[in-house]
């Protein structure tokens, strides 16, 4: 009966298509999934997964029985900047206006375990998050925010031990026992090695730290999520949804195995594992991804034979995609964020952060943060979406897509298993390579207009909009922090401090001692984040990244257009004049480890015919200048996402000048507020490129500059 | 070559040469400065007297394409050299760019620069090759740091592949040599191989000499190990290292057998963690299978080691082997012989490169060659006949 109807439909459809084949309407997604124009009842017969009921294994429909019909998701806005005082003010403003959970963003110096007075972090203090050097800063951060009532999520992976220790100690000084603390610590180091690069120690001791935290929280902090296994940063780095899903679940499996090896029972900690997804613009794909994740995770955990069904349930936080935000026509970002937030809610998230529309330019302002928050409030309180549990269940399309994603993700997980698990795969650089490939392909699709971004590669605005953005006087923050550090160091008992630091060293050497437990004591006695990290570093070492950059992927994915031919001609002309190809050094300075942009630029420009030098991560401006001079490049491309440009670029220019190398041109790209453009041009920067720049157009411009 | 250069090259006085070809010294000087063109008879005499090095074209064709460098060029080269010797890194960097430049004029300038460099027998030139991922950079980082701590100055030339499609390249070696890249006693210069296989090697040899003039006493040359630049690199270093992974068989290694045969020293890297045993096995396999390896330039055995660059194990042993190798080579006086042989080999490599560049750039684009090729394509002229015509044209047999 259905079959007959399908045939009839096809006939009529093909008539509408004027003899075109119906298969031409198929859409091959970047994940390699073929999406048909129509799904029917038949498609539900060949599903990989069980749909089931919410609150019951395999939890495809959600981890709780009532979902939002009883209580909406937690509105948890990720924020933090400048000093603890400023961030505290911002949090309280949010809490007065509908925010129901906090999420702390730390600055990069804290992430990498440096106190604010360390010479390598001059440009990083207080910029992309709040500077936390000790328990004193933590106390200020949560002033008048009772930690037994407020759930706090902390994005911290590198310096996770000292920071979590300061948090626990801060609770105690508020009079809140650690058993009452609620919230989440990200504590997901594997994805740092893969994409985000805010690690400190090598993989092995890092995994031990993860286990120490899982062990400690499972015993002492029953309401606290010990880890937030994150796919978010993978999608931000260019991963497609299947990669995000597969690698995150594979990471999760690795953490479970590490905790089991520690002697913990699966039911002691599995219910406190949480996840974190990025939600991008592919609406149904995102919903299907979240459903697939819950089903797959329950199957993965099932193998470890838990007795508590809650161990099988995947709970997640979601954030709308940062990489989908565009600098051009920035108000469009409000619409994008709304669509993404809807997908997260339809997918059944437990908490949500919505991005502010100006985050492709700078940190959010009070105004943009309000709109972002209201986006969630409108969804929760005006739309009625929350009234029915899992409204997407049974949709021919969504269930089929869920099933397709499961198939693809299983294949990727198998690839990881075949090389011996995620730690091995990361050491080999396998997931990183796959993610970079898909990032380069996407850029090529956008540059060749195969993928539309409204206001960026199509329907561009004719008039420029002025958008007010927040900027941080990073130097002022740093001076304040240094003063506070000095005060702390002057007033504490040095004997106690030294003894505790010695104890941390001992704990690093012996797996009998729990590092977090020791560090909570140290935090209470005013040992700083930097000091605790430093003694750990002496035993564990500081990890350096051996990074490979792929080539050829962008080149293969671009269409050979007039623009490409023009670049070829320009480069040939360049070689005839200068005797070699244009040579560019792509640098990342400061503690900002987000290298998606830098890598993409490197691979795309080399595919367009440039010789591209790549600098190590975490360079100082002086080191970057030296590398440019040593390699005799024509131009330096500075990639900056963490607001360090106002400090770092002047230092770079100065360093070039001091070495009599001002002939080397400098361009900047990344998240740079338009009002800083003039400042950079005054310094002698030749050109500033924002997010959403067409790489091919940029290439022509750069050849003209040099 | 013009007459002036010929006389200078072979130290012949104007007076003597005038006598040899039977003209007055005054006439000869007019020929030399281009005021007068000698008559056919005299041109023939000059041709014979110079063994064909100076021919009619050298009088008739005004070689204005900068055979002679301008004074400002010469001054610039002097300044580069002066500052380079004083330890200026920007000038060292410029010198290497000059040496690598594809411009005709830069080649002349580079020649002038190179002609002023001293030979340096105290340096140690080390070639390192292996497939991507074997850990070349990590080993150089470990070895280099170790050498700097004992007072050496270390330079690294890394040859990276250029894309065949776009011609561009990614030069990422410094991301894998974090310590060396910020050490003032180290210099790392990645260079794209620019697609032509022999080409880069010639330039690398010249870059090595710039680095030695600057004061680096240990030079690493790092290549990809896929069988293109390796033979040329072998001929410009004192010792050639091939890195292997702990696993069996050349096929698995992805490295060409011919390259393993060149090795003066084989190092099995990544002998750490769960791979220690396998590394030992690989080592034994290569030690026993003598047909896979041939004797090194000087017979010094055993020439297979294991190491773990990430754990910094076995690095000192590699250096011990290298020093022993160099010492033994010097004791047997082979070191100097090999270097002198290498100079000749690099001479011929240079000649080959120039010829093929000339063929591709100037010769094949000439109309009569195009016509000839057209005829050969249509089979109107046979292949052997065509080849003979071209050869005779190139070697200018007509004056014999």
């Amino acid at each position: 009966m259905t079959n007959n109807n399908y045939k009839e439909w096809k006939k009529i459809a093909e008539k509408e298509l004027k003899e075109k084949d119906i298969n031409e309407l198929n859409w091959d997604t970047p994940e390699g999934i073929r999406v048909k124009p129509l799904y029917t009842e038949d498609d539900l017969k060949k599903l990989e997964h069980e749909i089931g009921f919410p609150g019951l294994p395999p939890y495809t429909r959600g981890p709780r029985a009532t979902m939002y019909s009883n209580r909406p998701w937690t509105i948890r806005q990720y924020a933090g900047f400048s000093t603890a005082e400023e961030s505290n003010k911002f949090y309280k403003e949010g809490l007065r206006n509908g925010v129901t959970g906090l999420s702390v963003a730390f600055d990069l110096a804290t992430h990498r375990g440096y106190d604010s007075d360390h010479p390598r972090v001059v440009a990083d203090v207080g910029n992309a998050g709040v500077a936390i050097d000790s328990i004193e800063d933590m106390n200020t951060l949560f002033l008048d925010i009772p930690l037994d009532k407020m759930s706090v999520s902390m994005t911290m992976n590198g310096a996770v031990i000292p920071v979590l220790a300061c948090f626990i100690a801060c609770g105690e000084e508020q009079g809140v026992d650690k058993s009452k603390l609620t919230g989440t610590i990200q504590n997901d180091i594997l994805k740092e090695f893969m994409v985000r690069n805010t690690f400190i120690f090598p993989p092995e001791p890092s995994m031990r730290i993860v286990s120490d935290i899982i062990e400690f929280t499972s015993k002492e902090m029953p309401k606290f999520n010990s880890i937030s296994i994150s796919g978010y940063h993978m999608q931000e780095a260019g991963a497609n949804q299947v990669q995000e899903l597969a690698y995150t679940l594979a990471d999760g499996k690795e953490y479970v195995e590490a905790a089991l090896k520690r002697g913990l029972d699966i039911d002691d900690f599995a219910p406190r594992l949480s996840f974190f997804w990025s939600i991008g613009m592919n609406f149904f794909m995102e919903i299907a991804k979240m459903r697939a994740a819950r089903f797959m995770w329950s199957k993965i955990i099932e193998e470890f034979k838990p007795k508590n069904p809650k161990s099988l349930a995947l709970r997640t936080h979601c954030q709308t995609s940062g990489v989908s935000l565009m600098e051009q026509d920035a108000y469009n970002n409000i619409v994008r964020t709304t669509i993404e937030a809807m997908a997260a809610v339809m997918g059944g998230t437990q908490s949500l952060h919505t991005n502010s529309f100006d985050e492709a330019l700078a940190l959010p302002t009070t105004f943009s943060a309000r709109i972002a928050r209201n986006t969630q409030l409108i969804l929760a309180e005006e739309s009625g979406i929350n009234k029915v549990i899992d409204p997407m269940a049974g949709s021919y399309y969504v269930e089929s897509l869920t099933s397709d994603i499961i198939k693809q993700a299983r294949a990727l997980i198998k690839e990881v298993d075949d090389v011996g698990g995620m730690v091995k795969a990361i050491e080999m650089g396998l997931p990183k390579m796959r993610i970079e490939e898909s990032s380069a392909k996407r850029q090529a699709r956008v540059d060749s207009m195969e993928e539309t971004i409204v206001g960026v590669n199509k329907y561009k605005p004719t008039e420029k909009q002025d958008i007010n953005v927040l900027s941080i006087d990073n130097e002022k923050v740093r001076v304040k922090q240094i003063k506070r550090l000095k005060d702390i160091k002057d007033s504490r008992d040095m004997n106690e401090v030294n003894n505790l630091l010695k104890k941390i060293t001992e704990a690093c050497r012996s797996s009998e001692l729990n590092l977090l437990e020791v560090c909570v004591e140290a935090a209470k006695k005013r040992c700083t984040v930097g000091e605790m990290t430093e003694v750990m570093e002496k035993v564990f070492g500081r990890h350096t990244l051996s990074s490979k950059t792929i080539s050829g992927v962008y080149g293969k994915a671009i269409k050979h257009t007039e623009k490409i031919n023009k670049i070829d001609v320009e480069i040939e002309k360049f070689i005839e004049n200068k005797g070699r190809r244009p040579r560019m050094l792509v640098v990342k300075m400061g503690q900002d480890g987000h290298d998606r942009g830098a890598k993409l630029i490197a691979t795309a420009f080399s595919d367009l015919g440039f010789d591209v030098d790549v600098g190590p991560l975490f360079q100082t401006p002086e080191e970057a200048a030296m590398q440019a001079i040593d390699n005799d490049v024509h131009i330096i491309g500075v990639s900056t996402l963490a607001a360090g440009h106002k400090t770092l670029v002047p230092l770079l220019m100065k360093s070039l000048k001091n070495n009599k190398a001002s002939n080397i041109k400098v361009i900047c790209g990344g998240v740079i507020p338009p009002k800083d453009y003039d400042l950079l041009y005054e310094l002698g920067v030749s050109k500033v490129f924002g997010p959403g720049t067409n790489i091919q157009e940029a290439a022509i411009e750069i050849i003209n500059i040099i | 070559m013009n007459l002036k250069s010929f006389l200078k090259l072979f130290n012949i006085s104007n007076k003597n040469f005038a006598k040899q070809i039977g003209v007055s010294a005054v006439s000869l000087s007019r020929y030399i400065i281009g005021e007068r063109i000698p008559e056919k008879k005299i041109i023939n005499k000059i041709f014979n007297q110079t063994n064909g090095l100076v021919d009619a074209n050298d009088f008739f064709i005004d070689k204005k394409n900068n055979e002679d460098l301008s004074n400002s060029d010469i001054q610039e080269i002097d300044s580069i050299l002066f500052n380079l010797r004083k330890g200026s890194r920007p000038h060292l960097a410029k010198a290497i760019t000059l040496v690598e430049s594809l411009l005709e004029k830069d080649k002349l300038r580079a020649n002038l620069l190179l002609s002023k460099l001293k030979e340096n027998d105290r340096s140690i030139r080390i070639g390192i090759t292996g497939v991507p991922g074997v850990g070349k950079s990590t080993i150089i980082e470990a070895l280099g740091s170790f050498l700097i701590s004992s007072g050496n100055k270390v330079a690294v030339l890394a040859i990276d592949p250029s894309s065949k499609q776009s011609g561009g390249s990614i030069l990422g070696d410094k991301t894998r040599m974090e310590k060396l890249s910020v050490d003032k006693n180290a210099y790392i210069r990645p260079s794209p191989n620019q697609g032509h296989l022999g080409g880069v090697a010639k330039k690398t040899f010249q870059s090595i000499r710039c680095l030695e003039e600057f004061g680096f006493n240990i030079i690493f040359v790092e290549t990809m190990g896929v069988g293109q630049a390796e033979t040329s690199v072998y001929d410009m270093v004192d010792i050639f290292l091939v890195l292997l992974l702990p696993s069996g068989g050349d096929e698995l290694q992805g490295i060409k057998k011919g390259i393993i045969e060149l090795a003066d020293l084989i190092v099995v890297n990544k002998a750490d963690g769960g791979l220690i045993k396998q590394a030992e096995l690989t080592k034994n396999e290569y030690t026993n299978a003598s047909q896979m390896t041939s004797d090194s330039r000087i017979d010094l055995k055993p020439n297979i080691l294991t190491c773990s660059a990430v754990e910094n194990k076995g690095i000192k042993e590699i250096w011990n082997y290298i020093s022993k190798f160099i010492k033994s080579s010097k004791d047997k006086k082979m070191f100097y012989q090999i270097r002198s042989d290498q100079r000749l080999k690099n001479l011929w490599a240079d000649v080959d490169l120039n010829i093929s560049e000339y063929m591709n750039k100037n010769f094949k684009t000439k109309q009569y060659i195009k016509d000839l090729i057209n005829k050969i394509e249509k089979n109107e002229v046979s292949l052997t006949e065509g080849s003979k015509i071209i050869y005779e044209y190139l070697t200018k047999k007509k004056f014999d």
Side-chain angles (χ1 to χ4, degrees):
Chain A
M1 185 61 185
T2 0
N3 221 0
N4 273 340
N5 287 344
Y6 181 80
K7 277 181 193 153
E8 274 170 43
W9 169 79
K10 199 175 159 206
K11 223 185 277 167
I12 301 169
E14 271 167 349
K15 211 183 244 169
E16 284 177 19
L17 290 171
K18 305 211 167 63
E19 314 301 314
K20 206 162 59 172
D21 193 287
I22 192 84
N23 288 327
E24 283 178 44
L25 297 183
N26 286 343
W27 168 39
D28 289 317
T29 74
E31 290 77 14
I33 291 173
R34 172 156 292 185
V35 173
K36 303 183 291 182
L38 181 74
Y39 286 80
T40 64
E41 214 176 320
D42 275 356
D43 292 292
L44 289 184
K45 287 177 192 153
K46 21 185 186 184
L47 297 181
E48 290 285 314
H49 62 287
E50 305 146 47
I51 300 174
F53 277 84
L56 286 172
Y59 298 104
T60 312
R61 302 193 61 184
R64 292 196 217 297
T66 52
M67 293 299 283
Y68 315 137
S69 66
N70 175 36
R71 194 169 60 121
W73 61 94
T74 304
I75 299 178
R76 190 190 292 284
Q77 293 296 87
Y78 182 50
F81 55 89
S82 176
T83 57
E85 286 91 348
E86 292 292 319
S87 295
N88 175 265
K89 246 193 263 166
F90 190 87
Y91 294 158
K92 283 194 243 168
E93 156 89 15
L95 291 170
R96 274 194 300 274
N97 290 290
V99 165
T100 49
L102 293 182
S103 173
V104 184
F106 297 94
D107 73 356
L108 287 160
T110 310
H111 273 291
R112 301 262 300 149
Y114 295 116
D115 283 340
S116 298
D117 57 358
H118 196 282
R120 288 199 83 91
V121 298
V122 177
D124 299 300
V125 175
N127 256 342
V130 58
I132 301 291
D133 291 329
S134 72
I135 181 177
E136 299 283 353
D137 292 331
M138 204 59 105
N139 286 343
T140 312
L141 189 67
F142 296 113
L143 188 72
D144 303 328
I145 301 175
L147 291 178
D148 51 346
K149 299 204 178 70
M150 181 55 56
S151 143
V152 176
S153 156
M154 284 176 286
T155 298
M156 180 49 67
N157 305 278
V160 61
I161 291 265
V163 168
L164 185 56
C166 287
F167 177 74
I168 295 167
C170 163
E172 283 187 27
E173 295 195 356
Q174 276 195 5
V176 177
D177 186 70
K178 49 187 175 297
S179 63
K180 297 220 174 72
L181 295 171
T182 60
T184 308
I185 182 87
Q186 195 160 77
N187 191 27
D188 172 11
I189 201 68
L190 289 174
K191 62 102 177 41
E192 298 293 334
F193 293 117
M194 219 185 304
V195 288
R196 192 162 167 262
N197 300 324
T198 36
F199 45 71
I200 301 176
F201 311 115
E204 213 176 295
S206 294
M207 282 301 284
R208 181 232 156 140
I209 286 172
V210 172
S211 304
D212 273 10
I213 291 173
I214 294 178
E215 183 185 50
F216 185 88
T217 49
S218 78
K219 285 181 191 151
E220 312 277 347
M221 301 160 75
K223 291 160 80 181
F224 203 80
N225 296 323
S226 54
I227 192 166
S228 168
I229 309 158
S230 309
Y232 184 83
H233 315 87
M234 297 180 202
Q235 192 177 130
E236 287 294 285
N240 63 44
Q241 275 77 341
V242 166
Q243 290 168 338
E244 180 189 358
L245 173 63
Y247 292 143
T248 307
L249 294 182
D251 280 350
K253 220 164 106 182
E254 201 77 35
Y255 294 129
V256 167
E257 278 164 5
L260 291 174
K261 243 188 244 161
R262 183 55 71 90
L264 296 178
D265 187 90
I266 182 84
D267 289 321
D268 284 346
F269 65 89
R272 292 318 317 171
L273 303 175
S274 65
F275 284 79
F276 177 22
W277 306 120
S278 171
I279 304 296
M281 283 302 288
N282 195 344
F283 188 77
F284 290 106
M285 190 71 80
E286 293 294 6
I287 297 171
K289 174 185 84 187
M290 292 176 71
R291 302 170 66 80
R294 284 191 294 262
F295 173 77
M296 289 176 77
W297 185 245
S298 78
K299 293 293 157 194
I300 288 170
I301 296 297
E302 224 171 59
E303 288 181 22
F304 299 104
K305 309 246 177 328
K307 289 178 197 76
N308 181 357
K310 279 191 176 160
S311 293
L312 299 169
L314 180 154
R315 294 164 308 119
T316 192
H317 172 67
C318 285
Q319 179 170 339
T320 57
S321 157
V323 80
S324 73
L325 301 180
M326 292 296 146
E327 182 200 1
Q328 299 94 327
D329 222 357
Y331 290 115
N332 289 345
N333 294 331
I334 301 177
V335 185
R336 292 192 181 101
T337 297
T338 308
I339 294 169
E340 292 165 353
M342 270 178 74
V345 170
M346 301 276 210
T349 192
Q350 279 55 65
S351 64
L352 177 62
H353 164 102
T354 32
N355 289 325
S356 302
F357 68 87
D358 52 2
E359 281 182 76
L361 310 168
L363 288 170
T365 59
T366 323
F367 170 68
S368 67
R370 181 177 172 81
I371 294 189
R373 200 164 53 225
N374 287 349
T375 306
Q376 292 203 47
L377 290 169
I378 291 168
L379 277 177
E381 300 187 20
E382 292 185 25
S383 73
I385 288 178
N386 58 326
K387 304 290 182 202
V388 170
I389 303 159
D390 188 25
M392 282 296 182
S395 148
Y396 303 145
Y397 174 35
V398 171
E399 296 295 2
S400 298
L401 199 54
T402 305
S403 177
D404 286 342
I405 289 179
I406 291 171
K407 265 186 261 171
Q408 298 264 346
R410 277 186 178 151
L412 262 189
I413 293 177
K414 185 171 181 301
E415 188 184 67
V416 170
D417 285 343
D418 285 350
V419 301
M422 208 55 183
V423 173
K424 281 271 148 50
I426 288 171
E427 274 170 15
M428 289 170 61
L430 180 74
K432 203 174 178 120
M433 185 189 75
R434 292 252 178 276
I435 292 172
E436 279 168 26
E437 264 174 24
S438 85
S439 161
K441 279 186 195 158
R442 162 122 214 271
Q443 183 67 40
R445 286 196 304 274
V446 172
D447 283 350
S448 340
M449 309 254 286
E450 276 173 78
E451 221 171 274
T452 300
I453 301 179
V454 172
V456 176
N457 66 358
K458 258 177 152 179
Y459 320 111
K460 294 184 197 172
T462 43
E463 274 167 47
K464 265 200 140 173
Q465 305 146 329
D466 267 338
I467 290 177
N468 216 355
V469 295
L470 180 76
S471 67
I472 306 291
D473 186 345
N474 142 267
E475 191 48 34
K476 219 160 132 192
V477 178
R478 203 169 69 94
V479 170
K480 253 193 190 163
Q481 287 300 115
I482 292 175
K483 163 98 182 21
R484 184 140 46 185
L485 267 170
K486 198 178 164 294
D487 290 348
I488 294 166
K489 288 185 181 175
D490 286 348
S491 62
R492 60 187 183 175
D493 181 342
M494 270 321 281
N495 271 337
E496 265 182 338
V497 167
N498 287 334
N499 284 337
L500 282 160
L501 292 178
K502 245 181 245 156
K503 202 149 175 225
I504 297 176
T505 307
E506 260 171 61
C508 291
R509 295 216 176 99
S510 148
S511 53
E512 299 294 303
L513 295 171
N514 190 299
L515 263 170
L516 181 56
E517 199 175 333
V518 179
C519 283
V520 172
E521 285 313 304
K524 276 195 236 165
K525 301 293 179 201
R526 272 54 187 168
C527 293
T528 68
V529 171
E531 286 167 339
M532 290 189 252
T533 307
E534 202 185 329
V535 289
M536 289 163 78
E537 189 184 331
K538 281 207 179 113
V539 181
F540 294 149
R542 195 171 264 267
H543 183 64
T544 54
L545 185 76
S546 85
S547 81
K548 286 179 204 131
T549 311
I550 48 158
S551 65
V553 179
Y554 180 88
K556 267 182 214 137
I558 45 175
K559 292 263 156 74
H560 280 266
T561 55
E562 242 171 77
K563 232 184 266 164
I564 298 287
N565 291 337
K566 188 164 178 238
I567 295 172
D568 284 347
V569 171
E570 293 281 331
I571 287 184
E572 281 310 315
K573 257 201 275 174
F574 189 93
I575 298 174
E576 259 170 54
N577 280 324
K578 310 263 177 159
R580 57 177 177 151
R581 291 179 175 274
R583 186 162 178 171
M584 176 163 72
L585 169 67
V586 180
V587 296
K588 285 224 60 103
M589 297 181 291
Q591 295 302 312
D592 171 22
H594 294 88
D595 58 354
R596 182 197 72 96
K599 291 222 156 164
L600 187 63
I601 292 297
T603 180
F605 274 81
S606 79
D607 283 354
L608 292 173
F610 280 59
D611 285 328
V612 183
D613 291 85
V614 187
L617 280 177
F618 316 123
Q619 270 184 317
T620 64
E622 293 74 26
E623 289 163 3
M626 212 55 233
Q627 185 177 357
I629 292 165
D630 278 355
N631 293 10
D632 198 18
V633 300
H634 297 109
I635 191 161
I636 303 176
V638 178
S639 164
T640 166
L641 298 163
H645 57 274
K646 280 199 288 187
T647 320
L648 294 166
V649 176
L651 288 172
L652 175 69
M653 304 307 279
K654 201 173 120 195
S655 196
L656 285 174
K657 203 174 155 211
N658 290 346
N659 286 293
K660 299 198 179 66
S662 296
N663 59 317
I664 297 177
K665 302 276 193 307
V666 176
I667 50 168
C668 298
V671 177
I672 299 170
K675 70 178 166 64
D676 289 351
Y677 282 27
D678 283 340
L679 173 96
L680 294 174
Y681 288 138
E682 268 165 43
L683 283 166
V685 168
S686 306
K687 179 81 196 172
V688 182
F689 297 100
T693 297
N694 182 306
I695 290 186
Q696 295 159 25
E697 282 163 19
I700 294 175
E701 241 179 290
I702 288 171
I703 296 171
N704 288 333
I705 290 170
I706 53 183
Chain B
M1 113 178 0
N2 69 31
L3 197 46
K4 189 179 168 189
S5 313
F6 173 83
L7 295 175
K8 197 177 160 211
L9 180 64
F10 290 98
N11 286 326
I12 302 170
S13 72
N14 285 9
K15 211 169 124 192
N16 276 343
F17 193 75
K19 211 181 270 172
Q20 282 168 13
I21 58 169
V23 298
S24 71
V26 179
S27 307
L28 182 70
S29 66
R30 285 188 174 150
Y31 301 152
I32 288 173
I33 59 177
E35 247 181 45
R36 191 186 292 171
I37 291 171
E39 52 193 289
K40 194 177 166 193
K41 202 173 67 192
I42 306 288
I43 288 181
N44 256 331
K45 275 188 182 165
I46 293 175
F47 185 84
N48 287 328
Q49 203 63 40
T50 62
N51 285 320
L53 279 175
V54 182
D55 70 18
N57 284 338
D58 294 311
F59 295 101
F60 285 100
I61 295 168
D62 185 16
K63 285 199 176 154
K64 55 176 169 287
N65 59 343
N66 43 48
E67 182 90 336
D68 293 311
L69 289 167
S70 72
N71 277 338
S72 70
D73 279 326
I74 295 171
Q75 271 167 15
E76 196 197 328
I77 297 302
D78 283 343
S79 145
I80 289 180
L81 197 62
F82 177 77
N83 287 298
L84 183 152
R85 284 180 178 144
K86 256 182 30 186
S88 159
R89 292 170 78 110
H91 288 90
L92 171 64
K94 286 272 174 252
I96 294 178
T97 302
L98 190 63
V99 157
E100 290 180 348
S101 174
L102 301 171
L103 294 188
E104 288 306 319
K105 177 134 191 213
D106 283 348
K107 284 181 190 167
L108 291 171
R109 288 154 27 123
N111 284 343
L112 177 64
L113 177 75
L114 292 162
S115 71
K116 299 190 176 195
L117 302 183
K118 294 186 282 284
E119 280 300 325
N120 181 335
D121 284 342
R122 288 178 314 264
S123 68
I124 299 178
R125 303 167 182 170
I126 305 165
I128 290 195
T129 195
V131 292
V134 71
K136 296 178 290 289
S137 306
T138 328
I139 285 195
I140 294 176
E141 165 100 341
L143 204 51
S145 305
F146 166 71
L147 289 168
I148 286 173
S149 71
S150 49
N152 294 286
K153 297 185 96 188
V154 175
V156 183
L157 294 170
I159 301 167
D160 285 333
S162 296
S163 151
K164 276 183 196 137
Q165 238 173 8
S166 72
S169 63
I170 289 194
L171 311 162
D173 305 79
K174 287 198 191 179
T175 62
R176 295 186 289 276
M177 294 188 235
E178 281 193 339
K179 275 186 228 134
L180 282 190
S181 70
V182 297
D183 195 311
K184 61 180 189 318
N185 287 312
Y187 177 87
I188 305 167
R189 174 75 172 233
S191 291
N193 72 4
Q194 299 173 350
H196 39 88
L197 314 179
V200 67
K202 167 204 147 198
K203 286 160 181 171
T204 306
F205 188 65
Q206 299 172 346
S207 300
I208 291 176
R209 298 192 49 213
C210 295
L211 292 165
E212 289 174 349
E213 191 78 15
F214 183 91
F216 289 105
N217 65 327
I218 297 190
I219 321 278
F220 289 98
V221 182
E222 180 193 329
T223 59
M224 278 269 292
V226 286
Q228 302 183 336
E230 282 66 27
T231 33
S232 338
V233 169
Y234 176 82
D235 280 329
M236 61 182 72
V237 296
D238 304 319
I239 178 165
F240 189 66
L241 272 62
V242 175
L243 304 192
L244 295 179
L245 291 166
S247 66
D250 307 344
E251 298 78 26
L252 271 174
Q253 298 276 353
I255 195 162
K256 295 223 170 117
K257 201 161 161 253
I259 295 174
I260 296 183
E261 285 174 358
L262 290 175
D264 294 310
L265 171 64
I266 290 176
V267 177
V268 184
N269 189 23
K270 306 207 174 168
D272 42 50
L275 291 174
I276 294 183
K277 257 214 176 110
Q278 214 165 6
E280 280 302 319
L281 280 174
T282 310
K283 181 183 157 184
N284 291 341
E285 200 178 316
Y286 279 89
T287 314
N288 298 331
S290 55
Q291 72 276 13
M292 280 199 261
T293 60
S294 58
D295 294 340
S296 64
R297 280 178 257 213
I298 68 159
D299 197 15
L300 185 68
K301 292 223 162 162
N303 57 353
I304 302 182
L305 298 172
T306 61
C307 84
S308 163
V310 284
E311 289 181 3
N312 218 354
K313 280 183 196 145
I315 298 299
K316 227 172 140 184
E317 286 71 15
I318 297 177
W319 180 245
N320 287 344
Y321 184 89
I322 294 175
S323 351
K324 214 160 75 184
F325 184 96
I326 298 295
K327 187 172 180 302
S328 167
S329 173
K330 282 189 172 166
D331 287 348
K332 296 181 188 167
K333 299 275 178 246
M334 288 178 71
F335 183 86
Y336 310 100
Q337 187 54 47
I338 290 170
R339 280 216 173 167
S340 138
D341 289 350
Q342 286 181 342
R343 270 197 291 278
L344 287 186
K345 278 185 180 158
N346 281 290
L347 164 79
W348 290 115
D350 196 22
V351 171
D352 280 349
L353 183 76
N354 284 337
I355 290 176
S356 75
E357 253 185 46
Y358 169 76
M359 294 282 283
N360 285 321
K361 247 182 162 172
N362 305 64
F363 192 67
K364 284 185 185 164
T365 54
K366 289 205 157 72
Q367 193 53 48
Y368 58 83
I369 295 297
K370 282 187 185 161
D371 292 345
L372 184 64
I373 286 168
N374 194 6
K375 282 194 162 59
I376 296 169
E377 263 176 357
K378 288 183 190 150
N379 243 339
E380 289 167 20
V381 174
S382 79
L383 189 133
T384 42
E385 179 65 19
S387 162
K388 191 169 157 247
I389 292 171
I390 292 174
Y391 175 74
E392 279 183 2
Y393 180 81
L394 282 172
T395 51
K396 296 185 185 171
K397 283 207 163 170
K398 50 189 181 279
F399 275 98
D400 271 6

